[in-house]
Amino acid sequence: MLVLLPPSEGKASSGRGAPLKPESLSLPGLAEAREAVLTELVELCSGDEDKAREVLGLSEGLRGEVAKNAELRTAGARPAGEIYTGVLYDALGLASLDAAAKRRAARSLLVFSGLWGAVRVTDRIPSYRCSMGVKLPGLGALGAHWRTPMASVLPEVAGGGLVLDLRSAAYAAAWKPKGEVAGRTATVRVLHAPTRKVVSHFNKATKGRIARSLLTAGAVPGSPAELVEALRDLGYVVEATAPVKAGQAWSLDVLVDEVH
């Protein structure tokens, strides 16, 4: 099973670990595209601070993120699972998983990123600020920049198993499973049961809880249909819509009243 996650806007500090080693990151087929984004982002943030802040869509209060980006090649690096914070990652609670669940997380979780394309939670990266919605002056829109290398690399990473897509729309734009891979992909939408509307907090927290539940239970559903049954066994209320034609993903609605 491969679980696709969005990153978090907020991130923990890089700390004082050894700096980034790009060649050590997973998915080496993305290396050239990563280097292109990293080079332009560092150059952008080493120059006119106001221009960099405008390109990155940062408020005045986040001005310090520009200087942080300028130091990406020398800043300390930590496992991505420690760098990403926020509602989804709080609910996922990687640090509190038992040893077996942590091993499953290392194998199955893939975090999408405007800067790195996609990384595993064990990959060591520095703290950064660069969302998938950014349009860099040289490379253009990052969502488009990543589509070609992702289309080449991700089907192999997905292998022959289930793909559970918990990404937000901006990150889903970087890679859309196609063909046979799409048929074993399940996308998840979290709805507030009383209103049947998407509520951001419920959405993020529940997606984190879903990933954690599957990891701690050791569940290994091999298809979207098996995933539906696994989630229901774990106590989730799930409504599933199977694809109407080949090359489409399953759609799962998870209904919640409240998030604990």
Side-chain angles (χ1 to χ4, degrees), residues 145 175 181 193:
H145 170 76
W175 180 59
V181 179

Side-chain angles (χ1 to χ4, degrees), residues 42-57:
V42 169
E43 182 179 347
L44 171 70
C45 293
S46 299
D48 187 322
E49 189 176 86
D50 289 328
K51 177 183 178 182
R53 196 159 56 84
E54 180 182 359
V55 170
L56 297 174

Side-chain angles (χ1 to χ4, degrees), residues 190-204:
V190 180
L191 301 180
H192 182 218
T195 63
R196 299 193 70 83
K197 292 182 179 180
V198 175
V199 180
S200 179
H201 180 84
F202 282 24
N203 181 53
K204 293 176 182 178

Side-chain angles (χ1 to χ4, degrees), residues 78-85 89 94-95 111 120-123 125:
R78 296 166 58 186
E82 297 177 13
I83 291 290
Y84 294 117
T85 59
Y89 290 89
L94 287 170
V111 184
R120 297 196 183 276
V121 292
T122 51
D123 284 331
I125 60 173

